[in-house]
Amino acid sequence: RFETCWPALMKDSHGVIIIFNPELPSHLKEIETWYSCFVQQQPLLDSQCLLVAHHKPGSAEDTENLSLGYPLNKLKLIHSNLEEDPEDVRMEFMKYFRSIINLINESREREEMSIIS
C-alpha cells in the first residue's frame, strides 16, 4: 500500500536489510518482492543486502530447516532472537554496516581517482 513511497526510500541507498518472520509463509513470499524491488532494481550487490529471520520470544526457532529459493539463498542470512542472543545479532549488524561503509569508501575513492585522471 506504500509502493508509491518506495522510490524515495531507495534513492541513494547503499544497503538493504530485510527482516521477516520465518514462521509466516506469506513473509517468505513477500521477501522475494522486497528483494526484487529494493536490491535487484537498484541495482545493489547481493553483499549489500542482509536477511534477518526474526524469531519471536517463545517461538520454536528452527534455523536448520529454513530454505530460501534462488536468488534469496545467495544472501547473507542471520537468525535473531533478542531474548537469547542479542549480542550475536548486534555483532552481525556491525559486520554488515562495516561492509557497507567499505563499499562506500571504495566507490568514493574510485570516483575521486576518475576525476583526477
Side-chain angles (χ1 to χ4, degrees):
R1 62 183 165 188
F2 297 109
E3 286 183 43
T4 57
C5 298
W6 289 3
L9 294 172
M10 291 187 276
K11 184 174 178 9
D12 297 330
S13 66
H14 297 285
V16 174
I17 299 173
I18 300 172
I19 302 171
F20 65 99
N21 182 343
E23 296 171 14
L24 296 176
S26 63
H27 277 200
L28 297 177
K29 202 67 179 152
E30 287 176 30
I31 61 175
E32 292 176 14
T33 302
W34 288 93
Y35 173 77
S36 173
C37 292
F38 283 86
V39 179
Q40 289 180 318
Q41 292 178 21
Q42 283 279 37
L44 294 175
L45 301 171
D46 286 341
S47 62
Q48 292 171 276
C49 183
L50 176 65
L51 292 179
V52 180
H54 182 68
H55 302 271
K56 293 182 180 180
S59 67
E61 188 174 333
D62 188 6
T63 61
E64 300 299 318
N65 293 322
L66 179 62
S67 62
L68 300 173
Y70 181 83
L72 298 174
N73 60 1
K74 304 182 305 178
L75 305 176
K76 171 77 174 166
L77 170 67
I78 64 170
H79 292 268
S80 72
N81 182 327
L82 298 180
E83 280 190 346
E84 294 180 19
D85 58 3
E87 188 60 25
D88 288 345
V89 174
R90 188 180 79 76
M91 293 304 295
E92 289 295 334
F93 272 106
M94 293 302 293
K95 283 194 284 190
Y96 170 73
F97 288 127
R98 272 191 224 111
S99 71
I100 295 298
I101 289 169
N102 286 338
L103 282 170
I104 293 168
N105 287 338
E106 290 170 6
S107 175
R108 184 176 297 136
E109 286 175 13
R110 280 193 305 273
E111 187 177 325
E112 288 173 356
M113 291 306 289
S114 71
I115 292 170
I116 292 172
S117 310

